[in-house]
Amino acid sequence: MTRARMCALAIGAFAATALIGGCTSAENTPEPSSAAQGGSITVFAAASLKSAFTEIGGQFETDNPGSTVEFSFAGSSDLVTQLTQGADADVFASADTRNMDKAVVAGLVEGGPVNFATNTLTIAVAPGNPKEIRTFADLAKPGTSVVVCAPPVPCGGATEKVEKATGVTLSPVSEEPSVTDVLGKVTSGQADAGLVYVTDAAGAGDKVTAVAFPEASQAVNTYPIAVLKDSEKAELAHRFVDLVTGEAGQKALAKAGFAKP
């Protein structure tokens, strides 16, 4: 065999080895995780969570560079209806266990929901309380326009419980699809009073005066949160739930007026 022939064979063998080594290296390179890749998750959350979850969402994006959180805030009953009709979301946070149970029964939830907060009703009135509403019974006085949440909505269910506990039946001028809509009726002057959560009244600042009433303790709402089974970003979704239930999330919720479950 000539010297030139031997060199050609050696070069060919070296090239083949390098090519195989390169392929092997590429095949063995691990794919980056979904968390490393980042991405966007959609959180369906009760309207009363808007302030606290917006803050938590900002923290989540800081903790997970390249990731974003999109929120859809509405009444819990409306949200679970959207989910059962096929709406895409990664996390569901309800203002009561009743609507979360609907999602569980429909097979939408991965694993079990986790309770992360509680909330209580209060009476929201115009600043300074010009109608001098002092008790729950005062809401039934003639000439007092009251707004409440519709019965399927958690704050509406809580209102019904208080009515039963007190024996006082209200005659609301409207029943709203979310607690934020009730608050809006009061702040805009369309109603004298509205039954909202303590967190919503606190968030409204000096736009309303909050009137606490002892019977509210008969209707404390517990808030559960869960990752949804069809989530395409399950790892990120679990990270969001962990943040909500962890120290940072609980601090943000407490600042907004929520109590621990």
Side-chain angles (χ1 to χ4, degrees), residues 43 49 53 56-57 60 71 91 93 114 116-117 225 238-251 253:
V43 177
L49 291 166
F53 267 31
I56 292 172
F60 179 83
F71 290 106
V91 176
V114 180
F116 66 93
I225 188 170
H238 279 289
R239 286 183 177 219
F240 182 83
V241 172
D242 289 343
L243 178 59
V244 170
T245 57
E247 182 178 354
Q250 290 297 298
K251 183 177 180 180
L253 288 159

mmCIF file with all atom_site columns, all heavy atoms in Angstrom, residues 43 49 53 56-57 60 71 91 93 114 116-117 225 238-251 253:
data_model
loop_
_atom_site.group_PDB
_atom_site.id
_atom_site.type_symbol
_atom_site.label_atom_id
_atom_site.label_alt_id
_atom_site.label_comp_id
_atom_site.label_asym_id
_atom_site.label_entity_id
_atom_site.label_seq_id
_atom_site.pdbx_PDB_ins_code
_atom_site.Cartn_x
_atom_site.Cartn_y
_atom_site.Cartn_z
_atom_site.occupancy
_atom_site.B_iso_or_equiv
_atom_site.pdbx_formal_charge
_atom_site.auth_seq_id
_atom_site.auth_comp_id
_atom_site.auth_asym_id
_atom_site.auth_atom_id
_atom_site.pdbx_PDB_model_num
ATOM 1   N N   . VAL A 1 43  ? -53.903 31.928 34.556 1.00 0.00 ? 43  VAL A N   1
ATOM 2   C CA  . VAL A 1 43  ? -54.514 31.663 35.863 1.00 0.00 ? 43  VAL A CA  1
ATOM 3   C C   . VAL A 1 43  ? -55.929 32.225 35.881 1.00 0.00 ? 43  VAL A C   1
ATOM 4   O O   . VAL A 1 43  ? -56.126 33.424 35.685 1.00 0.00 ? 43  VAL A O   1
ATOM 5   C CB  . VAL A 1 43  ? -53.689 32.287 37.001 1.00 0.00 ? 43  VAL A CB  1
ATOM 6   C CG1 . VAL A 1 43  ? -54.378 32.077 38.343 1.00 0.00 ? 43  VAL A CG1 1
ATOM 7   C CG2 . VAL A 1 43  ? -52.281 31.698 37.022 1.00 0.00 ? 43  VAL A CG2 1
ATOM 8   N N   . LEU A 1 49  ? -59.453 38.229 44.227 1.00 0.00 ? 49  LEU A N   1
ATOM 9   C CA  . LEU A 1 49  ? -58.023 37.963 44.343 1.00 0.00 ? 49  LEU A CA  1
ATOM 10  C C   . LEU A 1 49  ? -57.170 38.900 43.488 1.00 0.00 ? 49  LEU A C   1
ATOM 11  O O   . LEU A 1 49  ? -55.937 38.800 43.499 1.00 0.00 ? 49  LEU A O   1
ATOM 12  C CB  . LEU A 1 49  ? -57.719 36.516 43.932 1.00 0.00 ? 49  LEU A CB  1
ATOM 13  C CG  . LEU A 1 49  ? -58.220 35.427 44.869 1.00 0.00 ? 49  LEU A CG  1
ATOM 14  C CD1 . LEU A 1 49  ? -58.164 34.070 44.182 1.00 0.00 ? 49  LEU A CD1 1
ATOM 15  C CD2 . LEU A 1 49  ? -57.400 35.406 46.158 1.00 0.00 ? 49  LEU A CD2 1
ATOM 16  N N   . PHE A 1 53  ? -53.172 38.677 43.772 1.00 0.00 ? 53  PHE A N   1
ATOM 17  C CA  . PHE A 1 53  ? -52.585 37.827 42.733 1.00 0.00 ? 53  PHE A CA  1
ATOM 18  C C   . PHE A 1 53  ? -51.764 38.631 41.731 1.00 0.00 ? 53  PHE A C   1
ATOM 19  O O   . PHE A 1 53  ? -50.801 38.114 41.155 1.00 0.00 ? 53  PHE A O   1
ATOM 20  C CB  . PHE A 1 53  ? -53.676 37.033 42.019 1.00 0.00 ? 53  PHE A CB  1
ATOM 21  C CG  . PHE A 1 53  ? -53.901 35.669 42.612 1.00 0.00 ? 53  PHE A CG  1
ATOM 22  C CD1 . PHE A 1 53  ? -53.704 35.448 43.969 1.00 0.00 ? 53  PHE A CD1 1
ATOM 23  C CD2 . PHE A 1 53  ? -54.336 34.611 41.835 1.00 0.00 ? 53  PHE A CD2 1
ATOM 24  C CE1 . PHE A 1 53  ? -53.910 34.196 44.533 1.00 0.00 ? 53  PHE A CE1 1
ATOM 25  C CE2 . PHE A 1 53  ? -54.535 33.351 42.378 1.00 0.00 ? 53  PHE A CE2 1
ATOM 26  C CZ  . PHE A 1 53  ? -54.319 33.141 43.734 1.00 0.00 ? 53  PHE A CZ  1
ATOM 27  N N   . ILE A 1 56  ? -48.524 38.804 43.422 1.00 0.00 ? 56  ILE A N   1
ATOM 28  C CA  . ILE A 1 56  ? -47.891 37.485 43.402 1.00 0.00 ? 56  ILE A CA  1
ATOM 29  C C   . ILE A 1 56  ? -47.396 37.152 41.995 1.00 0.00 ? 56  ILE A C   1
ATOM 30  O O   . ILE A 1 56  ? -46.335 36.558 41.814 1.00 0.00 ? 56  ILE A O   1
ATOM 31  C CB  . ILE A 1 56  ? -48.878 36.413 43.909 1.00 0.00 ? 56  ILE A CB  1
ATOM 32  C CG1 . ILE A 1 56  ? -49.138 36.622 45.401 1.00 0.00 ? 56  ILE A CG1 1
ATOM 33  C CG2 . ILE A 1 56  ? -48.341 35.009 43.670 1.00 0.00 ? 56  ILE A CG2 1
ATOM 34  C CD1 . ILE A 1 56  ? -50.246 35.750 45.975 1.00 0.00 ? 56  ILE A CD1 1
ATOM 35  N N   . GLY A 1 57  ? -48.172 37.546 40.992 1.00 0.00 ? 57  GLY A N   1
ATOM 36  C CA  . GLY A 1 57  ? -47.762 37.307 39.612 1.00 0.00 ? 57  GLY A CA  1
ATOM 37  C C   . GLY A 1 57  ? -46.459 38.011 39.272 1.00 0.00 ? 57  GLY A C   1
ATOM 38  O O   . GLY A 1 57  ? -45.602 37.461 38.576 1.00 0.00 ? 57  GLY A O   1
ATOM 39  N N   . PHE A 1 60  ? -43.722 36.035 40.789 1.00 0.00 ? 60  PHE A N   1
ATOM 40  C CA  . PHE A 1 60  ? -43.514 34.799 40.028 1.00 0.00 ? 60  PHE A CA  1
ATOM 41  C C   . PHE A 1 60  ? -42.640 35.054 38.804 1.00 0.00 ? 60  PHE A C   1
ATOM 42  O O   . PHE A 1 60  ? -41.726 34.276 38.507 1.00 0.00 ? 60  PHE A O   1
ATOM 43  C CB  . PHE A 1 60  ? -44.866 34.227 39.596 1.00 0.00 ? 60  PHE A CB  1
ATOM 44  C CG  . PHE A 1 60  ? -44.767 32.963 38.779 1.00 0.00 ? 60  PHE A CG  1
ATOM 45  C CD1 . PHE A 1 60  ? -44.618 31.731 39.392 1.00 0.00 ? 60  PHE A CD1 1
ATOM 46  C CD2 . PHE A 1 60  ? -44.816 33.017 37.396 1.00 0.00 ? 60  PHE A CD2 1
ATOM 47  C CE1 . PHE A 1 60  ? -44.506 30.565 38.646 1.00 0.00 ? 60  PHE A CE1 1
ATOM 48  C CE2 . PHE A 1 60  ? -44.716 31.849 36.632 1.00 0.00 ? 60  PHE A CE2 1
ATOM 49  C CZ  . PHE A 1 60  ? -44.561 30.625 37.261 1.00 0.00 ? 60  PHE A CZ  1
ATOM 50  N N   . PHE A 1 71  ? -53.689 36.615 33.729 1.00 0.00 ? 71  PHE A N   1
ATOM 51  C CA  . PHE A 1 71  ? -54.802 36.393 34.656 1.00 0.00 ? 71  PHE A CA  1
ATOM 52  C C   . PHE A 1 71  ? -56.147 36.628 33.986 1.00 0.00 ? 71  PHE A C   1
ATOM 53  O O   . PHE A 1 71  ? -56.295 37.515 33.133 1.00 0.00 ? 71  PHE A O   1
ATOM 54  C CB  . PHE A 1 71  ? -54.698 37.325 35.867 1.00 0.00 ? 71  PHE A CB  1
ATOM 55  C CG  . PHE A 1 71  ? -53.572 37.002 36.805 1.00 0.00 ? 71  PHE A CG  1
ATOM 56  C CD1 . PHE A 1 71  ? -52.438 37.803 36.841 1.00 0.00 ? 71  PHE A CD1 1
ATOM 57  C CD2 . PHE A 1 71  ? -53.637 35.906 37.651 1.00 0.00 ? 71  PHE A CD2 1
ATOM 58  C CE1 . PHE A 1 71  ? -51.395 37.523 37.697 1.00 0.00 ? 71  PHE A CE1 1
ATOM 59  C CE2 . PHE A 1 71  ? -52.604 35.605 38.514 1.00 0.00 ? 71  PHE A CE2 1
ATOM 60  C CZ  . PHE A 1 71  ? -51.476 36.412 38.542 1.00 0.00 ? 71  PHE A CZ  1
ATOM 61  N N   . VAL A 1 91  ? -54.158 27.165 35.855 1.00 0.00 ? 91  VAL A N   1
ATOM 62  C CA  . VAL A 1 91  ? -54.433 27.177 37.299 1.00 0.00 ? 91  VAL A CA  1
ATOM 63  C C   . VAL A 1 91  ? -55.812 27.765 37.533 1.00 0.00 ? 91  VAL A C   1
ATOM 64  O O   . VAL A 1 91  ? -56.228 28.700 36.834 1.00 0.00 ? 91  VAL A O   1
ATOM 65  C CB  . VAL A 1 91  ? -53.378 28.022 38.052 1.00 0.00 ? 91  VAL A CB  1
ATOM 66  C CG1 . VAL A 1 91  ? -53.714 28.112 39.541 1.00 0.00 ? 91  VAL A CG1 1
ATOM 67  C CG2 . VAL A 1 91  ? -51.979 27.448 37.861 1.00 0.00 ? 91  VAL A CG2 1
ATOM 68  N N   . ALA A 1 93  ? -58.162 29.273 40.766 1.00 0.00 ? 93  ALA A N   1
ATOM 69  C CA  . ALA A 1 93  ? -58.277 29.668 42.170 1.00 0.00 ? 93  ALA A CA  1
ATOM 70  C C   . ALA A 1 93  ? -59.693 30.170 42.405 1.00 0.00 ? 93  ALA A C   1
ATOM 71  O O   . ALA A 1 93  ? -60.105 31.180 41.820 1.00 0.00 ? 93  ALA A O   1
ATOM 72  C CB  . ALA A 1 93  ? -57.258 30.756 42.512 1.00 0.00 ? 93  ALA A CB  1
ATOM 73  N N   . VAL A 1 114 ? -55.717 22.839 46.985 1.00 0.00 ? 114 VAL A N   1
ATOM 74  C CA  . VAL A 1 114 ? -55.106 23.238 48.252 1.00 0.00 ? 114 VAL A CA  1
ATOM 75  C C   . VAL A 1 114 ? -55.761 24.525 48.725 1.00 0.00 ? 114 VAL A C   1
ATOM 76  O O   . VAL A 1 114 ? -55.852 25.498 47.970 1.00 0.00 ? 114 VAL A O   1
ATOM 77  C CB  . VAL A 1 114 ? -53.583 23.470 48.080 1.00 0.00 ? 114 VAL A CB  1
ATOM 78  C CG1 . VAL A 1 114 ? -52.958 23.896 49.404 1.00 0.00 ? 114 VAL A CG1 1
ATOM 79  C CG2 . VAL A 1 114 ? -52.908 22.221 47.549 1.00 0.00 ? 114 VAL A CG2 1
ATOM 80  N N   . PHE A 1 116 ? -55.842 27.995 50.490 1.00 0.00 ? 116 PHE A N   1
ATOM 81  C CA  . PHE A 1 116 ? -54.747 28.941 50.713 1.00 0.00 ? 116 PHE A CA  1
ATOM 82  C C   . PHE A 1 116 ? -55.163 30.236 51.404 1.00 0.00 ? 116 PHE A C   1
ATOM 83  O O   . PHE A 1 116 ? -54.302 31.031 51.813 1.00 0.00 ? 116 PHE A O   1
ATOM 84  C CB  . PHE A 1 116 ? -54.072 29.283 49.384 1.00 0.00 ? 116 PHE A CB  1
ATOM 85  C CG  . PHE A 1 116 ? -54.933 30.050 48.412 1.00 0.00 ? 116 PHE A CG  1
ATOM 86  C CD1 . PHE A 1 116 ? -54.905 31.438 48.370 1.00 0.00 ? 116 PHE A CD1 1
ATOM 87  C CD2 . PHE A 1 116 ? -55.783 29.388 47.529 1.00 0.00 ? 116 PHE A CD2 1
ATOM 88  C CE1 . PHE A 1 116 ? -55.688 32.143 47.470 1.00 0.00 ? 116 PHE A CE1 1
ATOM 89  C CE2 . PHE A 1 116 ? -56.567 30.078 46.627 1.00 0.00 ? 116 PHE A CE2 1
ATOM 90  C CZ  . PHE A 1 116 ? -56.522 31.464 46.599 1.00 0.00 ? 116 PHE A CZ  1
ATOM 91  N N   . ALA A 1 117 ? -56.464 30.497 51.578 1.00 0.00 ? 117 ALA A N   1
ATOM 92  C CA  . ALA A 1 117 ? -56.900 31.744 52.217 1.00 0.00 ? 117 ALA A CA  1
ATOM 93  C C   . ALA A 1 117 ? -58.366 31.649 52.619 1.00 0.00 ? 117 ALA A C   1
ATOM 94  O O   . ALA A 1 117 ? -59.094 30.757 52.169 1.00 0.00 ? 117 ALA A O   1
ATOM 95  C CB  . ALA A 1 117 ? -56.702 32.931 51.269 1.00 0.00 ? 117 ALA A CB  1
ATOM 96  N N   . ILE A 1 225 ? -57.003 26.391 45.534 1.00 0.00 ? 225 ILE A N   1
ATOM 97  C CA  . ILE A 1 225 ? -56.303 26.591 44.264 1.00 0.00 ? 225 ILE A CA  1
ATOM 98  C C   . ILE A 1 225 ? -55.827 25.238 43.756 1.00 0.00 ? 225 ILE A C   1
ATOM 99  O O   . ILE A 1 225 ? -55.520 24.338 44.549 1.00 0.00 ? 225 ILE A O   1
ATOM 100 C CB  . ILE A 1 225 ? -55.117 27.556 44.441 1.00 0.00 ? 225 ILE A CB  1
ATOM 101 C CG1 . ILE A 1 225 ? -54.498 27.936 43.091 1.00 0.00 ? 225 ILE A CG1 1
ATOM 102 C CG2 . ILE A 1 225 ? -54.060 26.984 45.382 1.00 0.00 ? 225 ILE A CG2 1
ATOM 103 C CD1 . ILE A 1 225 ? -53.485 29.076 43.192 1.00 0.00 ? 225 ILE A CD1 1
ATOM 104 N N   . HIS A 1 238 ? -47.408 24.467 38.731 1.00 0.00 ? 238 HIS A N   1
ATOM 105 C CA  . HIS A 1 238 ? -47.143 24.014 40.103 1.00 0.00 ? 238 HIS A CA  1
ATOM 106 C C   . HIS A 1 238 ? -46.285 25.027 40.857 1.00 0.00 ? 238 HIS A C   1
ATOM 107 O O   . HIS A 1 238 ? -46.480 25.246 42.055 1.00 0.00 ? 238 HIS A O   1
ATOM 108 C CB  . HIS A 1 238 ? -46.464 22.650 40.088 1.00 0.00 ? 238 HIS A CB  1
ATOM 109 C CG  . HIS A 1 238 ? -47.414 21.504 39.912 1.00 0.00 ? 238 HIS A CG  1
ATOM 110 N ND1 . HIS A 1 238 ? -48.292 21.103 40.904 1.00 0.00 ? 238 HIS A ND1 1
ATOM 111 C CD2 . HIS A 1 238 ? -47.643 20.676 38.858 1.00 0.00 ? 238 HIS A CD2 1
ATOM 112 C CE1 . HIS A 1 238 ? -49.007 20.072 40.477 1.00 0.00 ? 238 HIS A CE1 1
ATOM 113 N NE2 . HIS A 1 238 ? -48.648 19.805 39.228 1.00 0.00 ? 238 HIS A NE2 1
ATOM 114 N N   . ARG A 1 239 ? -45.354 25.649 40.132 1.00 0.00 ? 239 ARG A N   1
ATOM 115 C CA  . ARG A 1 239 ? -44.526 26.666 40.778 1.00 0.00 ? 239 ARG A CA  1
ATOM 116 C C   . ARG A 1 239 ? -45.378 27.848 41.234 1.00 0.00 ? 239 ARG A C   1
ATOM 117 O O   . ARG A 1 239 ? -45.120 28.444 42.285 1.00 0.00 ? 239 ARG A O   1
ATOM 118 C CB  . ARG A 1 239 ? -43.435 27.144 39.816 1.00 0.00 ? 239 ARG A CB  1
ATOM 119 C CG  . ARG A 1 239 ? -42.315 26.130 39.611 1.00 0.00 ? 239 ARG A CG  1
ATOM 120 C CD  . ARG A 1 239 ? -41.232 26.681 38.702 1.00 0.00 ? 239 ARG A CD  1
ATOM 121 N NE  . ARG A 1 239 ? -40.143 25.728 38.567 1.00 0.00 ? 239 ARG A NE  1
ATOM 122 C CZ  . ARG A 1 239 ? -38.861 26.063 38.520 1.00 0.00 ? 239 ARG A CZ  1
ATOM 123 N NH1 . ARG A 1 239 ? -38.523 27.333 38.601 1.00 0.00 ? 239 ARG A NH1 1
ATOM 124 N NH2 . ARG A 1 239 ? -37.934 25.142 38.390 1.00 0.00 ? 239 ARG A NH2 1
ATOM 125 N N   . PHE A 1 240 ? -46.375 28.212 40.432 1.00 0.00 ? 240 PHE A N   1
ATOM 126 C CA  . PHE A 1 240 ? -47.251 29.325 40.823 1.00 0.00 ? 240 PHE A CA  1
ATOM 127 C C   . PHE A 1 240 ? -48.054 28.949 42.070 1.00 0.00 ? 240 PHE A C   1
ATOM 128 O O   . PHE A 1 240 ? -48.169 29.745 43.008 1.00 0.00 ? 240 PHE A O   1
ATOM 129 C CB  . PHE A 1 240 ? -48.204 29.693 39.679 1.00 0.00 ? 240 PHE A CB  1
ATOM 130 C CG  . PHE A 1 240 ? -49.088 30.861 40.008 1.00 0.00 ? 240 PHE A CG  1
ATOM 131 C CD1 . PHE A 1 240 ? -48.623 32.169 39.863 1.00 0.00 ? 240 PHE A CD1 1
ATOM 132 C CD2 . PHE A 1 240 ? -50.376 30.670 40.483 1.00 0.00 ? 240 PHE A CD2 1
ATOM 133 C CE1 . PHE A 1 240 ? -49.431 33.257 40.189 1.00 0.00 ? 240 PHE A CE1 1
ATOM 134 C CE2 . PHE A 1 240 ? -51.190 31.750 40.809 1.00 0.00 ? 240 PHE A CE2 1
ATOM 135 C CZ  . PHE A 1 240 ? -50.711 33.037 40.669 1.00 0.00 ? 240 PHE A CZ  1
ATOM 136 N N   . VAL A 1 241 ? -48.611 27.745 42.094 1.00 0.00 ? 241 VAL A N   1
ATOM 137 C CA  . VAL A 1 241 ? -49.371 27.292 43.260 1.00 0.00 ? 241 VAL A CA  1
ATOM 138 C C   . VAL A 1 241 ? -48.479 27.267 44.499 1.00 0.00 ? 241 VAL A C   1
ATOM 139 O O   . VAL A 1 241 ? -48.887 27.689 45.588 1.00 0.00 ? 241 VAL A O   1
ATOM 140 C CB  . VAL A 1 241 ? -49.994 25.904 43.006 1.00 0.00 ? 241 VAL A CB  1
ATOM 141 C CG1 . VAL A 1 241 ? -50.616 25.345 44.291 1.00 0.00 ? 241 VAL A CG1 1
ATOM 142 C CG2 . VAL A 1 241 ? -51.053 25.992 41.905 1.00 0.00 ? 241 VAL A CG2 1
ATOM 143 N N   . ASP A 1 242 ? -47.249 26.800 44.332 1.00 0.00 ? 242 ASP A N   1
ATOM 144 C CA  . ASP A 1 242 ? -46.312 26.769 45.460 1.00 0.00 ? 242 ASP A CA  1
ATOM 145 C C   . ASP A 1 242 ? -46.021 28.173 45.979 1.00 0.00 ? 242 ASP A C   1
ATOM 146 O O   . ASP A 1 242 ? -45.865 28.382 47.190 1.00 0.00 ? 242 ASP A O   1
ATOM 147 C CB  . ASP A 1 242 ? -45.001 26.096 45.040 1.00 0.00 ? 242 ASP A CB  1
ATOM 148 C CG  . ASP A 1 242 ? -45.149 24.592 44.829 1.00 0.00 ? 242 ASP A CG  1
ATOM 149 O OD1 . ASP A 1 242 ? -46.154 24.024 45.311 1.00 0.00 ? 242 ASP A OD1 1
ATOM 150 O OD2 . ASP A 1 242 ? -44.266 23.996 44.177 1.00 0.00 ? 242 ASP A OD2 1
ATOM 151 N N   . LEU A 1 243 ? -45.951 29.139 45.072 1.00 0.00 ? 243 LEU A N   1
ATOM 152 C CA  . LEU A 1 243 ? -45.705 30.522 45.479 1.00 0.00 ? 243 LEU A CA  1
ATOM 153 C C   . LEU A 1 243 ? -46.891 31.068 46.263 1.00 0.00 ? 243 LEU A C   1
ATOM 154 O O   . LEU A 1 243 ? -46.721 31.722 47.303 1.00 0.00 ? 243 LEU A O   1
ATOM 155 C CB  . LEU A 1 243 ? -45.438 31.385 44.246 1.00 0.00 ? 243 LEU A CB  1
ATOM 156 C CG  . LEU A 1 243 ? -45.200 32.887 44.495 1.00 0.00 ? 243 LEU A CG  1
ATOM 157 C CD1 . LEU A 1 243 ? -44.010 33.102 45.417 1.00 0.00 ? 243 LEU A CD1 1
ATOM 158 C CD2 . LEU A 1 243 ? -44.982 33.622 43.173 1.00 0.00 ? 243 LEU A CD2 1
ATOM 159 N N   . VAL A 1 244 ? -48.097 30.792 45.793 1.00 0.00 ? 244 VAL A N   1
ATOM 160 C CA  . VAL A 1 244 ? -49.309 31.264 46.471 1.00 0.00 ? 244 VAL A CA  1
ATOM 161 C C   . VAL A 1 244 ? -49.408 30.698 47.885 1.00 0.00 ? 244 VAL A C   1
ATOM 162 O O   . VAL A 1 244 ? -49.753 31.405 48.839 1.00 0.00 ? 244 VAL A O   1
ATOM 163 C CB  . VAL A 1 244 ? -50.565 30.886 45.658 1.00 0.00 ? 244 VAL A CB  1
ATOM 164 C CG1 . VAL A 1 244 ? -51.838 31.151 46.473 1.00 0.00 ? 244 VAL A CG1 1
ATOM 165 C CG2 . VAL A 1 244 ? -50.614 31.664 44.351 1.00 0.00 ? 244 VAL A CG2 1
ATOM 166 N N   . THR A 1 245 ? -49.104 29.425 48.023 1.00 0.00 ? 245 THR A N   1
ATOM 167 C CA  . THR A 1 245 ? -49.246 28.762 49.321 1.00 0.00 ? 245 THR A CA  1
ATOM 168 C C   . THR A 1 245 ? -48.020 28.929 50.207 1.00 0.00 ? 245 THR A C   1
ATOM 169 O O   . THR A 1 245 ? -48.068 28.611 51.394 1.00 0.00 ? 245 THR A O   1
ATOM 170 C CB  . THR A 1 245 ? -49.524 27.256 49.139 1.00 0.00 ? 245 THR A CB  1
ATOM 171 O OG1 . THR A 1 245 ? -48.457 26.664 48.367 1.00 0.00 ? 245 THR A OG1 1
ATOM 172 C CG2 . THR A 1 245 ? -50.832 27.047 48.388 1.00 0.00 ? 245 THR A CG2 1
ATOM 173 N N   . GLY A 1 246 ? -46.926 29.428 49.635 1.00 0.00 ? 246 GLY A N   1
ATOM 174 C CA  . GLY A 1 246 ? -45.696 29.618 50.393 1.00 0.00 ? 246 GLY A CA  1
ATOM 175 C C   . GLY A 1 246 ? -45.654 30.948 51.132 1.00 0.00 ? 246 GLY A C   1
ATOM 176 O O   . GLY A 1 246 ? -46.622 31.725 51.142 1.00 0.00 ? 246 GLY A O   1
ATOM 177 N N   . GLU A 1 247 ? -44.518 31.222 51.722 1.00 0.00 ? 247 GLU A N   1
ATOM 178 C CA  . GLU A 1 247 ? -44.375 32.403 52.583 1.00 0.00 ? 247 GLU A CA  1
ATOM 179 C C   . GLU A 1 247 ? -44.630 33.712 51.851 1.00 0.00 ? 247 GLU A C   1
ATOM 180 O O   . GLU A 1 247 ? -45.357 34.583 52.344 1.00 0.00 ? 247 GLU A O   1
ATOM 181 C CB  . GLU A 1 247 ? -42.970 32.414 53.193 1.00 0.00 ? 247 GLU A CB  1
ATOM 182 C CG  . GLU A 1 247 ? -42.729 33.570 54.149 1.00 0.00 ? 247 GLU A CG  1
ATOM 183 C CD  . GLU A 1 247 ? -41.348 33.545 54.774 1.00 0.00 ? 247 GLU A CD  1
ATOM 184 O OE1 . GLU A 1 247 ? -40.615 32.552 54.554 1.00 0.00 ? 247 GLU A OE1 1
ATOM 185 O OE2 . GLU A 1 247 ? -40.989 34.516 55.465 1.00 0.00 ? 247 GLU A OE2 1
ATOM 186 N N   . ALA A 1 248 ? -44.055 33.877 50.656 1.00 0.00 ? 248 ALA A N   1
ATOM 187 C CA  . ALA A 1 248 ? -44.212 35.135 49.919 1.00 0.00 ? 248 ALA A CA  1
ATOM 188 C C   . ALA A 1 248 ? -45.662 35.364 49.516 1.00 0.00 ? 248 ALA A C   1
ATOM 189 O O   . ALA A 1 248 ? -46.192 36.473 49.640 1.00 0.00 ? 248 ALA A O   1
ATOM 190 C CB  . ALA A 1 248 ? -43.312 35.139 48.689 1.00 0.00 ? 248 ALA A CB  1
ATOM 191 N N   . GLY A 1 249 ? -46.317 34.303 49.028 1.00 0.00 ? 249 GLY A N   1
ATOM 192 C CA  . GLY A 1 249 ? -47.709 34.429 48.623 1.00 0.00 ? 249 GLY A CA  1
ATOM 193 C C   . GLY A 1 249 ? -48.621 34.731 49.803 1.00 0.00 ? 249 GLY A C   1
ATOM 194 O O   . GLY A 1 249 ? -49.528 35.578 49.708 1.00 0.00 ? 249 GLY A O   1
ATOM 195 N N   . GLN A 1 250 ? -48.379 34.066 50.912 1.00 0.00 ? 250 GLN A N   1
ATOM 196 C CA  . GLN A 1 250 ? -49.205 34.292 52.093 1.00 0.00 ? 250 GLN A CA  1
ATOM 197 C C   . GLN A 1 250 ? -49.022 35.709 52.643 1.00 0.00 ? 250 GLN A C   1
ATOM 198 O O   . GLN A 1 250 ? -49.967 36.313 53.156 1.00 0.00 ? 250 GLN A O   1
ATOM 199 C CB  . GLN A 1 250 ? -48.858 33.266 53.166 1.00 0.00 ? 250 GLN A CB  1
ATOM 200 C CG  . GLN A 1 250 ? -49.292 31.839 52.826 1.00 0.00 ? 250 GLN A CG  1
ATOM 201 C CD  . GLN A 1 250 ? -50.799 31.713 52.705 1.00 0.00 ? 250 GLN A CD  1
ATOM 202 O OE1 . GLN A 1 250 ? -51.534 31.941 53.665 1.00 0.00 ? 250 GLN A OE1 1
ATOM 203 N NE2 . GLN A 1 250 ? -51.274 31.351 51.514 1.00 0.00 ? 250 GLN A NE2 1
ATOM 204 N N   . LYS A 1 251 ? -47.824 36.238 52.491 1.00 0.00 ? 251 LYS A N   1
ATOM 205 C CA  . LYS A 1 251 ? -47.581 37.614 52.926 1.00 0.00 ? 251 LYS A CA  1
ATOM 206 C C   . LYS A 1 251 ? -48.385 38.596 52.081 1.00 0.00 ? 251 LYS A C   1
ATOM 207 O O   . LYS A 1 251 ? -48.982 39.547 52.608 1.00 0.00 ? 251 LYS A O   1
ATOM 208 C CB  . LYS A 1 251 ? -46.083 37.921 52.831 1.00 0.00 ? 251 LYS A CB  1
ATOM 209 C CG  . LYS A 1 251 ? -45.703 39.302 53.336 1.00 0.00 ? 251 LYS A CG  1
ATOM 210 C CD  . LYS A 1 251 ? -44.188 39.503 53.268 1.00 0.00 ? 251 LYS A CD  1
ATOM 211 C CE  . LYS A 1 251 ? -43.810 40.886 53.773 1.00 0.00 ? 251 LYS A CE  1
ATOM 212 N NZ  . LYS A 1 251 ? -42.323 41.092 53.708 1.00 0.00 ? 251 LYS A NZ  1
ATOM 213 N N   . LEU A 1 253 ? -51.136 37.964 50.411 1.00 0.00 ? 253 LEU A N   1
ATOM 214 C CA  . LEU A 1 253 ? -52.554 37.767 50.705 1.00 0.00 ? 253 LEU A CA  1
ATOM 215 C C   . LEU A 1 253 ? -52.934 38.434 52.025 1.00 0.00 ? 253 LEU A C   1
ATOM 216 O O   . LEU A 1 253 ? -53.994 39.077 52.130 1.00 0.00 ? 253 LEU A O   1
ATOM 217 C CB  . LEU A 1 253 ? -52.873 36.267 50.742 1.00 0.00 ? 253 LEU A CB  1
ATOM 218 C CG  . LEU A 1 253 ? -52.877 35.564 49.395 1.00 0.00 ? 253 LEU A CG  1
ATOM 219 C CD1 . LEU A 1 253 ? -52.696 34.060 49.565 1.00 0.00 ? 253 LEU A CD1 1
ATOM 220 C CD2 . LEU A 1 253 ? -54.171 35.864 48.638 1.00 0.00 ? 253 LEU A CD2 1
#
